[in-house]
PDB file of all heavy atoms in Angstrom:
ATOM      1  N   TRP A  64       4.514   3.267  34.105  1.00 86.00           N
ATOM      2  CA  TRP A  64       3.764   3.248  35.350  1.00 86.00           C
ATOM      3  C   TRP A  64       4.615   2.705  36.491  1.00 86.00           C
ATOM      4  O   TRP A  64       5.231   1.667  36.373  1.00 86.00           O
ATOM      5  CB  TRP A  64       2.513   2.393  35.172  1.00 86.00           C
ATOM      6  CG  TRP A  64       1.607   2.424  36.358  1.00 86.00           C
ATOM      7  CD1 TRP A  64       1.438   1.455  37.304  1.00 86.00           C
ATOM      8  CD2 TRP A  64       0.760   3.494  36.740  1.00 86.00           C
ATOM      9  NE1 TRP A  64       0.530   1.860  38.244  1.00 86.00           N
ATOM     10  CE2 TRP A  64       0.092   3.108  37.924  1.00 86.00           C
ATOM     11  CE3 TRP A  64       0.488   4.756  36.189  1.00 86.00           C
ATOM     12  CZ2 TRP A  64      -0.827   3.932  38.562  1.00 86.00           C
ATOM     13  CZ3 TRP A  64      -0.433   5.578  36.831  1.00 86.00           C
ATOM     14  CH2 TRP A  64      -1.076   5.157  38.009  1.00 86.00           C
ATOM     15  N   GLY A  65       4.686   3.453  37.597  1.00 84.00           N
ATOM     16  CA  GLY A  65       5.435   3.015  38.763  1.00 84.00           C
ATOM     17  C   GLY A  65       6.878   3.466  38.786  1.00 84.00           C
ATOM     18  O   GLY A  65       7.614   3.158  39.731  1.00 84.00           O
ATOM     19  N   ASN A  66       7.296   4.184  37.752  1.00 87.00           N
ATOM     20  CA  ASN A  66       8.676   4.666  37.666  1.00 87.00           C
ATOM     21  C   ASN A  66       8.692   6.171  37.396  1.00 87.00           C
ATOM     22  O   ASN A  66       7.771   6.714  36.800  1.00 87.00           O
ATOM     23  CB  ASN A  66       9.418   3.965  36.526  1.00 87.00           C
ATOM     24  CG  ASN A  66       9.559   2.489  36.768  1.00 87.00           C
ATOM     25  OD1 ASN A  66      10.536   2.019  37.338  1.00 87.00           O
ATOM     26  ND2 ASN A  66       8.570   1.722  36.340  1.00 87.00           N
ATOM     27  N   ASP A  67       9.758   6.824  37.832  1.00 91.00           N
ATOM     28  CA  ASP A  67       9.918   8.242  37.525  1.00 91.00           C
ATOM     29  C   ASP A  67      10.221   8.407  36.039  1.00 91.00           C
ATOM     30  O   ASP A  67      10.922   7.588  35.446  1.00 91.00           O
ATOM     31  CB  ASP A  67      11.056   8.841  38.338  1.00 91.00           C
ATOM     32  CG  ASP A  67      10.731   8.912  39.821  1.00 91.00           C
ATOM     33  OD1 ASP A  67       9.537   8.992  40.160  1.00 91.00           O
ATOM     34  OD2 ASP A  67      11.682   8.886  40.629  1.00 91.00           O
ATOM     35  N   PRO A  68       9.722   9.471  35.433  1.00 96.00           N
ATOM     36  CA  PRO A  68      10.078   9.736  34.038  1.00 96.00           C
ATOM     37  C   PRO A  68      11.584   9.954  33.885  1.00 96.00           C
ATOM     38  O   PRO A  68      12.261  10.389  34.821  1.00 96.00           O
ATOM     39  CB  PRO A  68       9.314  11.019  33.705  1.00 96.00           C
ATOM     40  CG  PRO A  68       8.235  11.110  34.728  1.00 96.00           C
ATOM     41  CD  PRO A  68       8.773  10.476  35.949  1.00 96.00           C
ATOM     42  N   VAL A  69      12.077   9.648  32.706  1.00 97.00           N
ATOM     43  CA  VAL A  69      13.481   9.864  32.386  1.00 97.00           C
ATOM     44  C   VAL A  69      13.547  10.817  31.197  1.00 97.00           C
ATOM     45  O   VAL A  69      12.803  10.646  30.223  1.00 97.00           O
ATOM     46  CB  VAL A  69      14.185   8.535  32.032  1.00 97.00           C
ATOM     47  CG1 VAL A  69      15.636   8.783  31.643  1.00 97.00           C
ATOM     48  CG2 VAL A  69      14.102   7.564  33.210  1.00 97.00           C
ATOM     49  N   TYR A  70      14.434  11.796  31.274  1.00 98.00           N
ATOM     50  CA  TYR A  70      14.557  12.808  30.219  1.00 98.00           C
ATOM     51  C   TYR A  70      15.987  12.864  29.695  1.00 98.00           C
ATOM     52  O   TYR A  70      16.953  12.664  30.442  1.00 98.00           O
ATOM     53  CB  TYR A  70      14.186  14.195  30.753  1.00 98.00           C
ATOM     54  CG  TYR A  70      12.747  14.325  31.186  1.00 98.00           C
ATOM     55  CD1 TYR A  70      12.380  14.116  32.511  1.00 98.00           C
ATOM     56  CD2 TYR A  70      11.757  14.649  30.264  1.00 98.00           C
ATOM     57  CE1 TYR A  70      11.051  14.224  32.912  1.00 98.00           C
ATOM     58  CE2 TYR A  70      10.425  14.760  30.651  1.00 98.00           C
ATOM     59  CZ  TYR A  70      10.089  14.544  31.974  1.00 98.00           C
ATOM     60  OH  TYR A  70       8.772  14.653  32.361  1.00 98.00           O
ATOM     61  N   ALA A  71      16.097  13.206  28.422  1.00 98.00           N
ATOM     62  CA  ALA A  71      17.401  13.511  27.859  1.00 98.00           C
ATOM     63  C   ALA A  71      17.861  14.865  28.398  1.00 98.00           C
ATOM     64  O   ALA A  71      17.036  15.759  28.640  1.00 98.00           O
ATOM     65  CB  ALA A  71      17.312  13.547  26.339  1.00 98.00           C
ATOM     66  N   ASP A  72      19.155  15.033  28.554  1.00 98.00           N
ATOM     67  CA  ASP A  72      19.681  16.273  29.129  1.00 98.00           C
ATOM     68  C   ASP A  72      19.234  17.530  28.390  1.00 98.00           C
ATOM     69  O   ASP A  72      18.912  18.541  29.032  1.00 98.00           O
ATOM     70  CB  ASP A  72      21.204  16.220  29.190  1.00 98.00           C
ATOM     71  CG  ASP A  72      21.710  15.299  30.287  1.00 98.00           C
ATOM     72  OD1 ASP A  72      20.918  14.954  31.195  1.00 98.00           O
ATOM     73  OD2 ASP A  72      22.890  14.903  30.225  1.00 98.00           O
ATOM     74  N   PRO A  73      19.198  17.532  27.049  1.00 98.00           N
ATOM     75  CA  PRO A  73      18.837  18.778  26.338  1.00 98.00           C
ATOM     76  C   PRO A  73      17.416  19.266  26.606  1.00 98.00           C
ATOM     77  O   PRO A  73      17.107  20.434  26.331  1.00 98.00           O
ATOM     78  CB  PRO A  73      19.009  18.403  24.864  1.00 98.00           C
ATOM     79  CG  PRO A  73      19.958  17.270  24.866  1.00 98.00           C
ATOM     80  CD  PRO A  73      19.623  16.490  26.099  1.00 98.00           C
ATOM     81  N   VAL A  74      16.545  18.400  27.125  1.00 98.00           N
ATOM     82  CA  VAL A  74      15.150  18.807  27.317  1.00 98.00           C
ATOM     83  C   VAL A  74      14.762  18.898  28.785  1.00 98.00           C
ATOM     84  O   VAL A  74      13.631  19.308  29.094  1.00 98.00           O
ATOM     85  CB  VAL A  74      14.181  17.867  26.570  1.00 98.00           C
ATOM     86  CG1 VAL A  74      14.587  17.723  25.111  1.00 98.00           C
ATOM     87  CG2 VAL A  74      14.086  16.495  27.229  1.00 98.00           C
ATOM     88  N   LYS A  75      15.640  18.528  29.681  1.00 98.00           N
ATOM     89  CA  LYS A  75      15.320  18.583  31.107  1.00 98.00           C
ATOM     90  C   LYS A  75      14.938  19.997  31.522  1.00 98.00           C
ATOM     91  O   LYS A  75      15.605  20.964  31.157  1.00 98.00           O
ATOM     92  CB  LYS A  75      16.521  18.106  31.934  1.00 98.00           C
ATOM     93  CG  LYS A  75      16.683  16.599  31.973  1.00 98.00           C
ATOM     94  CD  LYS A  75      17.869  16.197  32.834  1.00 98.00           C
ATOM     95  CE  LYS A  75      18.047  14.695  32.871  1.00 98.00           C
ATOM     96  NZ  LYS A  75      19.247  14.297  33.656  1.00 98.00           N
TER      97      LYS A  75
END
Side-chain angles (χ1 to χ4, degrees):
W64 186 256
N66 296 269
D67 291 333
V69 178
Y70 296 94
D72 286 343
V74 308
K75 282 181 181 177

